[in-house]
Amino acid sequence: MKLFSSVHDVNDLNQLVSEAIQLKASPFAFENLGKHKTIGLIFLNPSLRTRLSTQKAAMNLGMQVMVMNMDKEGWALETRDGVIMNGTTVEHIREAAGVMGEYCDIIGIRSFPGLKDREEDYSELIFNKFVQFAGCPIVSLESATRHPLQSLADVITIEELKKTTKPKVVLTWAPHVKPLPQAVANSFAEWMNKADYEFVITHPEGYDLAPEFVGNAMVTNNQDEALAGADFVYVKNWSSYNDYGKILTEGEGWMLTNEKLKLTNNAGVMHCLPVRRGLELSHEILDGPNSLVLNQANNRVWAAQAVLKQMLEGK
Ligand code: CP
């Protein structure tokens, strides 16, 4: 594997998930695989889980890890080609990515969308420039439109806990006070379609995800209908794709509560974190027995380790 940017970069999803579960059981079984190899984790945006879990995964494989908060510690990056750099940008992404590629055997990069220009965000400008100019394998640590390491951890979590071959999985929109990217929801939808679960998306009117991510999912604006009989409920806010980057409603009544959970098949409740308590997800669910948020966070390590292992093996 030379690129991990979406589920489409995975040859065999079942094999990757089972490799992650094996690594969870024996974290140090390949502790020399990454000896004398370096991973650079480049963050253009904040992170807790992605940073620490990917760092831990790389260390479990014996790799050396360099972390750079590019937004705060790096030179201001120019991403446009052919411009005269007489403004505020100091270094072009062509040189910056190329230099990092000289120091690293694998690069992980996080680059959120601006949520102003849909075409620019969905072209994955910054992520793709790194792929183009770094000259080494690249792992997405969340790009403008996808969060594949999170989605892989989510699939691992469902596979570990599902009680039927084809569980009913519901992705439900949740309220938020800030416009958030569609990346986690897009990515989760893409991986659910690939995993071939019974997959339902529910959101208020105006929050449809891009059709290429929705795939074969059943979509409804009726949250109660969606929740009926669900085995897993994935809670996430996203801003509008059609009215790009906008908040269209305060979402009264959309926060998942124990009362709503009664409609489900005693569903496990998932969220990628960070989560705003009492707004996106109720305290009672986060503190209750149905919450799987820490299972998901734990599985971020094994997801990252399985991907890095395949990259180091050149699979
Ligand atoms: N879920 C997730 O990616 O968390 P961070 O943004 O803290 O890395």
Side-chain angles (χ1 to χ4, degrees):
M1 192 191 287
K2 295 215 177 315
L3 175 66
F4 183 73
S5 64
S6 81
V7 75
H8 306 300
D9 297 318
V10 177
N11 277 337
D12 184 335
L13 178 55
N14 290 334
Q15 193 206 343
L16 188 61
V17 170
S18 103
E19 206 156 3
I21 290 171
Q22 283 168 33
L23 288 165
K24 186 172 185 171
S26 307
F28 306 113
F30 299 90
E31 62 186 345
N32 292 317
L33 187 64
K35 194 176 175 189
H36 300 157
K37 303 274 186 193
T38 300
I39 185 167
L41 303 178
I42 316 298
F43 288 91
L44 280 81
N45 313 93
S47 168
L48 187 159
R49 281 142 293 271
T50 305
R51 173 187 309 249
L52 296 183
S53 61
T54 312
Q55 194 163 347
K56 187 173 166 73
M59 292 189 300
N60 286 350
L61 293 167
M63 297 189 83
Q64 295 175 330
V65 185
M66 300 192 295
V67 180
M68 183 158 187
N69 301 309
M70 193 81 183
D71 53 334
K72 298 182 190 72
E73 297 161 352
W75 299 110
L77 275 187
E78 179 59 65
T79 55
R80 296 166 300 168
D81 284 325
V83 292
I84 297 167
M85 287 171 55
N86 57 0
T88 54
T89 55
V90 179
E91 177 150 43
H92 202 279
I93 196 165
R94 286 175 176 253
E95 283 80 46
V99 167
M100 291 181 208
E102 293 291 322
Y103 303 149
C104 300
D105 299 284
I106 298 175
I107 287 178
I109 171 101
R110 167 167 282 199
S111 168
F112 286 176
L115 291 180
K116 301 274 183 266
D117 181 335
R118 186 171 89 178
E119 201 177 327
E120 181 178 309
D121 288 346
Y122 274 67
S123 75
E124 293 285 8
L125 182 75
I126 294 177
F127 183 82
N128 285 335
K129 293 269 187 201
F130 263 88
V131 173
Q132 190 178 355
F133 298 116
C136 68
I138 302 280
V139 181
S140 168
L141 303 177
E142 186 171 344
S143 69
T145 64
R146 292 177 171 98
H147 195 355
L149 284 176
Q150 179 66 54
S151 306
L152 174 55
D154 298 334
V155 174
I156 295 165
T157 307
I158 292 171
E159 283 299 305
E160 284 180 322
L161 298 171
K162 72 180 187 184
K163 295 189 179 82
T164 56
T165 319
K166 197 164 174 162
K168 178 175 178 180
V169 182
V170 176
L171 168 63
T172 181
W173 182 91
H176 208 284
V177 286
K178 283 180 64 182
L180 298 191
Q182 296 94 35
V184 170
N186 283 344
S187 196
F188 185 72
E190 204 168 49
W191 286 68
M192 288 302 102
N193 277 303
K194 182 83 171 189
D196 198 26
Y197 300 138
E198 182 187 345
F199 181 46
V200 179
I201 304 176
T202 184
H203 53 71
E205 281 181 25
Y207 282 91
D208 301 75
L209 296 169
E212 64 265 31
F213 294 103
V214 173
N216 296 325
M218 198 274 254
V219 181
T220 172
N221 299 136
N222 183 332
Q223 191 190 42
D224 287 357
E225 177 193 26
L227 293 175
D231 298 299
F232 296 91
V233 181
Y234 201 97
V235 178
K236 186 72 185 88
N237 170 269
W238 61 90
S239 59
S240 176
Y241 171 76
N242 287 324
D243 197 355
Y244 192 63
K246 297 283 189 310
I247 295 178
L248 308 178
T249 172
E250 289 183 4
E252 197 181 336
W254 276 82
M255 185 180 73
L256 198 67
T257 58
N258 278 344
E259 193 57 32
K260 285 176 185 275
L261 210 55
K262 286 180 187 163
L263 296 166
T264 72
N265 184 24
N266 195 25
V269 179
M270 305 174 72
H271 190 289
C272 62
L273 303 181
V275 65
R276 293 203 182 212
R277 282 174 166 251
L279 175 70
E280 261 186 295
L281 195 44
S282 58
H283 299 262
E284 61 187 9
I285 286 188
L286 281 164
D287 297 332
N290 292 62
S291 174
L292 300 179
V293 297
L294 294 185
N295 305 57
Q296 292 170 264
N298 177 288
N299 282 332
R300 290 294 306 272
V301 177
W302 321 115
Q305 198 166 328
V307 168
L308 296 181
K309 177 173 175 284
Q310 290 204 356
M311 282 191 168
L312 289 167
E313 290 171 338
K315 274 188 187 167

